[in-house]
Amino acid sequence: MAWGFLGGGAWLHDGLVPLLVLAVVGHVYTAALLLSASLRKSRWLFGTAFAEWKYYLIMGWAPATFAVLALTVDVRFALFAVVAGIAGMAGETLLGLAWSRFFAPPIWTYSYRSLLGGKTATINVLPWMIGALLFLSTGRLIGVRPGTDLWSASSPLVVSAAALGLGTLCSWLVLAVVWPDDRRVRRFTKARFALFCGPILSTAVALAVVCDTRYLVLMAAFALVGTVTEYAYGRSMSLFFERPLWTYHHLQLDGGHSSVVTLPLWALGGLYFYWIAAQLGLA
């Protein structure tokens, strides 16, 4: 159904519903948090020392958003939250492993509660949940629907997975042939980064040729949404903690809060979460 409102029949595009709930819950939660801190004359909110309880209290609007969506729109949003949080941590871990094959140092460093050699962090579950929700809304608004037969040979999910796998294999073969003596140093260069992004390009081209040219628009939108919201989230959280939650190491923007390298990565990341939503019948 393309139109609906909190499970009812009012005229509101289904891509806007999650954004509306996110905005309302986020503002109400933040106002309540600030009011509580003000009435108690508490200074904990404005100190910069990191504490896990403080982080989760500040981020309470994230699970609250999914709770409201599950209760008022579709109960599957509760499952989507759990799956997206876990899948986000798994996805960035795989990305970190792939990156280490091409480059050193790692793509990012997490400042708090890092896992697996810094490739992910336990506190990332909540922002991955929200990121997945934004990608779902983006896909709904653009109107590129993956359909119900997700595992047919010509479905967008299968086409993108095949193109990504083949592109990855080809890029690793080229890396071994063109830079055979650079396996230890793994220098970051624009040429090597372009090769690293080859599988993402092959995925976009395959989707456009086999499925629908609008997938090019969709992936471009995912790249923009992911880059902007990641930066806004990370920059805002730096107001509460003495160190940024993460630091990018290559082609940095604003001291490492973001990076040029994230644009193509978010194009693929958005697709990743959109397929998860499709598996749950939400896309």
Side-chain angles (χ1 to χ4, degrees):
M1 183 174 69
W3 301 89
F5 178 68
L6 303 184
W11 292 95
L12 184 66
H13 195 285
D14 67 351
L16 293 175
V17 172
L19 300 180
L20 176 62
V21 172
L22 175 62
V24 172
V25 172
H27 280 83
V28 170
Y29 184 90
T30 301
L33 189 64
L34 290 173
L35 180 60
S36 175
S38 176
L39 291 176
R40 295 184 178 189
K41 297 181 180 180
S42 175
R43 297 180 178 273
W44 66 265
L45 184 61
F46 306 103
T48 58
F50 179 83
E52 206 160 350
W53 65 267
K54 175 184 174 182
Y55 172 81
Y56 284 116
L57 188 58
I58 291 172
M59 288 294 295
W61 53 271
T65 296
F66 279 93
V68 173
L69 284 169
L71 291 171
T72 61
V73 181
D74 193 323
V75 69
R76 289 173 295 182
F77 275 104
L79 180 59
F80 184 43
V82 175
V83 174
I86 297 172
M89 292 178 63
E92 67 181 348
T93 300
L94 291 174
L95 174 62
L97 290 171
W99 184 272
S100 65
R101 189 177 184 90
F102 280 75
F103 310 111
I107 184 172
W108 54 61
T109 297
Y110 285 113
S111 299
Y112 307 107
R113 304 300 185 266
S114 62
L115 288 174
L116 303 173
K119 293 179 178 62
T120 187
T122 57
I123 62 174
N124 288 0
V125 171
L126 299 184
W128 279 126
M129 288 163 45
I130 295 300
L133 188 67
L134 294 177
F135 290 132
L136 171 59
S137 285
T138 300
R140 285 180 170 184
L141 288 170
I142 291 177
V144 183
R145 306 285 174 149
T148 56
D149 189 6
L150 298 175
W151 294 102
S152 66
S154 59
S155 72
L157 191 155
V158 172
V159 169
S160 61
L164 181 65
L166 181 60
T168 300
L169 177 61
C170 291
S171 69
W172 286 7
L173 289 174
V174 172
L175 178 68
V177 171
V178 177
W179 289 282
D181 300 324
D182 199 22
R183 294 179 182 177
R184 290 186 177 180
V185 178
R186 290 170 292 158
R187 292 169 294 181
F188 181 88
T189 66
K190 293 180 180 179
R192 286 166 70 101
F193 180 64
L195 178 62
F196 181 81
C197 293
I200 302 175
L201 178 61
S202 67
T203 300
V205 171
L207 284 170
V209 171
V210 178
C211 301
D212 192 325
T213 55
R214 290 182 299 168
Y215 275 104
L216 295 176
V217 177
L218 183 65
M219 291 184 71
F222 285 156
L224 182 61
V225 168
T227 301
V228 171
T229 55
E230 179 196 44
Y231 172 74
Y233 164 70
R235 204 67 178 87
S236 63
M237 293 301 285
S238 69
L239 299 174
F240 301 100
F241 303 112
E242 55 191 345
R243 288 180 290 165
L245 297 186
W246 62 78
T247 302
Y248 282 99
H249 296 296
H250 306 282
L251 302 181
Q252 293 180 329
L253 297 173
D254 191 15
H257 282 286
S258 186
S259 168
V260 176
V261 304
T262 64
L263 278 165
L265 303 181
W266 280 122
L268 183 64
L271 205 61
Y272 173 63
F273 286 108
Y274 200 45
W275 294 157
I276 292 173
Q279 291 283 346
L280 298 177
L282 291 172

